[in-house]
Amino acid sequence: MPKSGTILLADADVLIDYIKSDFSILGLVARYTAPVYVLQEILVTVDGLSKTLCRHHGIKVIETDTELILTAGGKGGAMSPEDWLCYLQCERNGWVCVTNDKALIRTCRENDIACRRGLRLMIDLVGSGHISKAKAKRVAIAIHQINSGHINQRVLDEFLDEILDEIG
């Protein structure tokens, strides 16, 4: 469970996973776990996602200043400019990057930027009694089916084991 004062910044892959499975999960996270932010520059890249939908679920859409956009665009390597933008926002503001992208996770960890995988958000919700284990399992399986590249069978199995082991 994130500590008090934590802000979670969701990247595109997590947003896509939940928009295609059950977006209300992110709303529950925003309500019961920690504020969830989405960058406007990321929002426009996700089909089916809008400011209205985010607002309805208590998710805050924020603008990024031009300097940071230019910095992210000038970065290269294994991460996209959008992933760099998420990383740089988290670095600048002390936010937690919520992602399933291996390169972004690695970059965050190498630079002591807090990050969490998208499925872990449901562990917090199950632990606090805001969703059932059965619902978390259904959503996780749906996410695995639509995004087996990031949420492969091993990741899914680890998530399901953790739901059973840690939550009881």
Side-chain angles (χ1 to χ4, degrees):
M1 175 88 66
K3 60 186 174 211
S4 179
T6 297
I7 292 175
L8 304 172
L9 180 65
D11 81 341
D13 65 302
V14 169
L15 294 167
I16 291 166
D17 288 348
Y18 282 109
I19 200 89
K20 290 184 175 182
S21 61
D22 187 342
F23 196 71
S24 70
I25 296 291
L26 289 180
L28 292 171
V29 170
R31 184 172 183 184
Y32 297 112
T33 304
V36 176
Y37 286 10
V38 173
L39 301 177
Q40 171 65 32
E41 296 76 14
I42 304 301
L43 178 137
V44 299
T45 68
V46 178
D47 288 339
L49 190 59
S50 67
K51 282 185 177 181
T52 302
L53 181 62
C54 287
R55 190 171 27 253
H56 174 75
H57 288 282
I59 297 165
K60 184 175 181 179
V61 178
I62 61 165
E63 300 283 335
T64 303
D65 63 66
T66 305
E67 176 188 340
L68 212 58
I69 292 170
L70 292 173
T71 301
K75 300 277 189 181
M79 293 188 343
S80 69
E82 293 81 12
D83 287 341
W84 276 112
L85 198 54
C86 287
Y87 168 81
L88 292 168
Q89 280 284 17
C90 289
E91 179 184 51
R92 174 187 279 180
N93 297 298
W95 297 344
V96 176
C97 185
V98 181
T99 184
N100 296 316
D101 184 89
K102 291 175 187 168
L104 182 51
I105 290 169
R106 183 176 50 255
T107 301
C108 286
R109 289 184 178 157
E110 287 171 356
N111 294 285
D112 295 321
I113 305 301
C115 68
R116 301 192 77 204
R117 288 189 172 270
L119 292 180
R120 293 208 57 82
L121 302 175
M122 289 193 290
I123 291 172
D124 296 337
L125 292 173
V126 169
S128 61
H130 292 100
I131 64 170
S132 67
K133 290 180 197 177
K135 180 171 183 160
K137 181 178 179 179
R138 279 193 306 274
V139 173
I141 290 170
I143 289 171
H144 165 69
Q145 290 171 341
I146 59 174
N147 185 7
S148 60
H150 286 120
I151 308 300
N152 59 36
Q153 190 63 49
R154 180 189 55 78
V155 171
L156 177 64
D157 290 344
E158 288 173 2
F159 169 79
L160 296 175
D161 287 346
E162 191 163 351
I163 285 287
L164 295 174
D165 291 344
E166 285 191 16
I167 317 290

